[in-house]
Amino acid sequence: MTAPFAVLWDHAHVWGLLLCRGLAALGAACRPVTCAEVAAGGLASHPPRALLVPGGFSRPKFAALGGAGQRAVRDYVAGGGNYFGVCGGCGLALSHEAGLGLCDWTRRPFADRLEHLASGHVRLRGDAASPYLPAELPEDFQAPVWWPAGFVPPPGAGNGAGAAVVAAYAGPGEDFMLADIALGAMPGALLGACQERFGLTLAPAFLDGGACVIAGAFGHGRYVLSHAHLETPDSPQANAWLAHLLGLFDPGGEIAGRLVPAWHPAKETRLFADVHLEAARRDIESVIAAGIEARLLMRRSDWLLGWRPGMPGFSLSNLSALLAGASALPPTEAAVAYWRQAGPDFAQRAAAFARRLEVFFPAQRLEITLSLVERQAGADPGLAAERRELFGASPGGGGLCGELAATLDALLLRLLS
């Protein structure tokens, strides 16, 4: 029996859940591994087929690994291991002050903040000679990205040196969004007129030939870094690509699927039927409904919200997905023991969080309206302070919402282990 794939769990949130779900759909055995386990020598004592690092923010992952964990990941790959990083997992592998230096490329800075708010399917053009691409993909294919950064090669890098570009951006797909603007569905003439009127290029610069997926060697091992989220539910070409990569990392194994099915969290059977989880799910869904009613949030898919810029849409989407994911997994002894202690307090905090948001969203809507109608009306500093308390500093992921997500992350770790 081959070793399972290891999913680096810390600060993975919905992206770790989706990756584990995708691996299960493709028939690939996996286990979550914490940064503390890595630092304690877990990759050396139980080498995985590959270390898979989901999306999310890379800096907290780097900090959680600490010096010992950072060295352990480098040693694992240098000794012949495989590293697959998705989005935030890319940033962790690159060469910068909070990167592991597996790849000598670095992160591409953004020309402006709007450029980062890109999500949905993008068109890609792959290197037909690359072993990291499945042969059945057409020359021009699509895969989803969720708020990606970019890659920059080191100065003077030439052909054959360092990383190779596996796939490059070739433009937006039909469901591509720039913040809350449906850029992919906008007719070319209208897009051109808007760009001329506002004096800016709406389409992010990286969509014009920038690298989306790169691969290379580190010591005796290799890495594949993908800003495309190949684990995204019901994205056939991306899912087939993920299955192909898993097959390369585990040539002696058997990948049983090529598609990650659509995810409908509300329709899944509750295998962990817990009163505290159910109460929190009702509270968070009530909050989301309030945000939608205030026209600050929208349903983008069954598992992901859309939102107006500046709104805490992803934080709430993440919280809702983690609750649904935990409810749909069979309880383990470790999870039940943990939740017996954490569950009651979590439900109380989730309820208090929800009651505050049910007031916050109408107040936020009113602030926006007054700023347009009453020119002397400015931003309410009290509302901005409350937003920071609830969700942390931009781009989010902290505050009271972040504390709730961290509790659910710990529960999911025990459910998936």
Side-chain angles (χ1 to χ4, degrees):
M1 180 179 177
T2 59
F5 293 94
V7 177
L8 191 64
W9 189 253
D10 299 56
H11 305 283
H13 298 291
V14 65
W15 307 121
L17 178 62
L18 285 176
L19 183 56
C20 288
R21 182 180 181 273
L23 293 170
L26 300 177
C30 73
R31 63 180 178 89
V33 59
T34 66
C35 290
E37 289 177 74
V38 171
L43 295 181
S45 59
H46 297 89
R49 295 307 305 160
L51 178 63
L52 313 179
V53 186
F57 297 113
S58 62
R59 285 183 181 273
K61 300 179 199 293
F62 184 80
L65 282 169
Q70 295 155 21
R71 287 189 295 273
V73 175
R74 286 193 288 264
D75 289 346
Y76 161 73
V77 182
N82 298 300
Y83 180 104
F84 176 57
V86 180
C87 205
C90 294
L92 183 63
L94 297 176
S95 293
H96 52 88
E97 72 282 359
L100 296 171
L102 301 180
C103 173
D104 59 359
W105 292 36
T106 191
R107 294 182 295 196
R108 179 183 180 277
F110 293 112
D112 55 69
R113 180 65 181 158
L114 184 65
E115 196 174 55
H116 176 57
L117 304 179
S119 60
H121 280 77
V122 292
R123 292 173 36 243
L124 297 172
R125 187 164 292 111
D127 175 5
S130 173
Y132 296 104
L133 278 177
E136 69 267 23
L137 278 182
E139 181 181 354
D140 194 275
F141 55 96
Q142 295 197 24
V145 296
W146 304 110
W147 311 287
F151 296 116
V152 175
N159 293 332
V165 177
V166 177
Y169 292 104
E174 289 186 2
D175 68 348
F176 183 82
M177 302 281 289
L178 187 67
D180 58 347
I181 304 168
L183 200 67
M186 189 178 291
L190 177 58
L191 176 60
C194 288
Q195 292 182 155
E196 183 177 352
R197 178 166 187 168
F198 289 99
L200 53 82
T201 301
L202 288 176
F206 63 76
L207 286 181
D208 186 20
C212 179
V213 180
I214 61 176
F218 182 77
H220 296 290
R222 57 185 168 177
Y223 58 81
V224 179
L225 309 180
S226 173
H227 282 302
H229 277 264
L230 308 184
E231 79 285 3
T232 300
D234 197 24
S235 183
Q237 291 178 326
N239 301 159
W241 193 357
L242 177 60
H244 174 77
L245 289 174
L246 296 174
L248 286 180
F249 296 148
D250 188 12
E254 182 178 343
I255 304 302
R258 305 289 286 180
L259 178 68
V260 179
W263 188 25
H264 307 289
K267 298 178 182 178
E268 289 191 325
T269 302
R270 264 72 157 175
L271 297 179
F272 190 3
D274 173 81
V275 293
H276 303 303
L277 277 179
E278 287 302 310
R281 286 189 75 171
R282 288 193 298 271
D283 283 328
I284 298 306
E285 290 310 310
S286 173
V287 161
I288 289 172
I292 291 172
E293 185 176 352
R295 301 184 301 284
L296 301 173
L297 305 177
M298 64 205 79
R299 287 283 180 192
R300 186 158 178 184
S301 73
D302 283 356
W303 62 273
L304 181 66
L305 293 169
W307 55 88
R308 284 183 62 120
M311 292 300 101
F314 178 73
S315 296
L316 288 174
S317 198
N318 178 53
L319 204 56
S320 176
L322 294 178
L323 282 163
S327 297
L329 290 167
T332 63
E333 185 177 336
V336 170
Y338 170 77
W339 200 243
R340 189 180 297 119
Q341 298 297 319
D345 176 67
F346 174 86
Q348 289 182 1
R349 289 186 292 133
F353 174 75
R355 300 296 81 79
R356 291 180 65 177
L357 272 180
E358 286 171 353
V359 176
F360 173 85
F361 276 132
Q364 182 71 76
R365 176 74 259 174
L366 181 59
E367 180 187 66
I368 292 171
T369 299
L370 290 176
S371 70
L372 295 172
V373 176
E374 298 290 341
R375 296 301 178 184
Q376 70 273 21
D380 177 359
L383 198 58
E386 184 170 17
R387 186 188 302 114
R388 285 193 297 273
E389 186 176 340
L390 291 168
F391 297 101
S394 180
L400 298 178
C401 188
E403 293 173 8
L404 293 172
T407 301
L408 290 173
D409 244 20
L411 174 61
L412 279 163
L413 173 67
R414 290 162 173 81
L415 288 167
L416 289 164
S417 294

